[in-house]
């Protein structure tokens, strides 16, 4: 199925260069479809949702809205000023 995962609770765990780093602590899994009738096997969807919920319950989902956690400090130090000025979405 097609789902949107939304972070509903977060906890501040620290800062990097004055950028807040957050830990996602709770999630909602929202279906894009209003019904399950489009699925060929509803049991497969239940298993998928169960696996997805299990992964989201594990510890270790961190994010920042202002700092790029996907690159190491070493890599960011060796990038161009243009790259660093780009939004996280554009990178």
């Amino acid at each position: 199925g097609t789902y949107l995962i939304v972070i509903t609770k977060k906890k501040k765990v620290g800062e990097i260069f004055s950028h807040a780093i957050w830990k996602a602590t709770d999630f909602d899994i929202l279906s894009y479809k209003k019904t399950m009738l489009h699925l060929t096997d509803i049991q497969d969807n239940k298993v998928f949702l169960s696996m997805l919920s299990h992964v989201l319950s594990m510890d270790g989902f961190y994010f920042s809205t202002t700092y790029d956690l996907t690159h190491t400090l070493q890599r960011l130090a060796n990038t161009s000023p243009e790259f660093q000025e780009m939004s996280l979405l554009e990178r």
Side-chain angles (χ1 to χ4, degrees):
T2 52
Y3 293 91
L4 174 67
I5 300 171
V6 179
I7 298 170
T8 56
K9 291 183 185 174
K10 63 184 181 179
K11 175 183 172 186
K12 187 173 180 181
V13 292
E15 291 185 0
I16 298 177
F17 302 124
S18 301
H19 296 274
I21 308 300
W22 302 93
K23 178 179 180 179
T25 58
D26 199 16
F27 305 87
D28 275 346
I29 303 170
L30 307 172
S31 176
Y32 283 113
K33 304 288 183 180
K34 292 183 180 181
T35 70
M36 298 290 179
L37 299 176
H38 67 285
L39 298 174
T40 55
D41 193 345
I42 295 196
Q43 184 60 31
D44 286 346
N45 191 60
K46 288 179 183 178
V47 171
F48 172 74
L49 285 174
S50 174
M51 290 189 308
L52 187 57
S53 295
H54 177 72
V55 169
L56 292 174
S57 71
M58 293 180 174
D59 199 24
F61 290 99
Y62 299 91
F63 70 97
S64 175
T65 57
T66 58
Y67 185 78
D68 189 354
L69 293 175
T70 64
H71 297 287
T72 64
L73 286 174
Q74 180 179 7
R75 183 172 192 293
L76 289 173
N78 292 320
T79 58
S80 69
E82 293 82 21
F83 179 81
Q84 294 185 14
E85 290 174 5
M86 294 169 69
S87 72
L88 297 178
L89 180 61
E90 290 174 318
R91 292 182 188 180

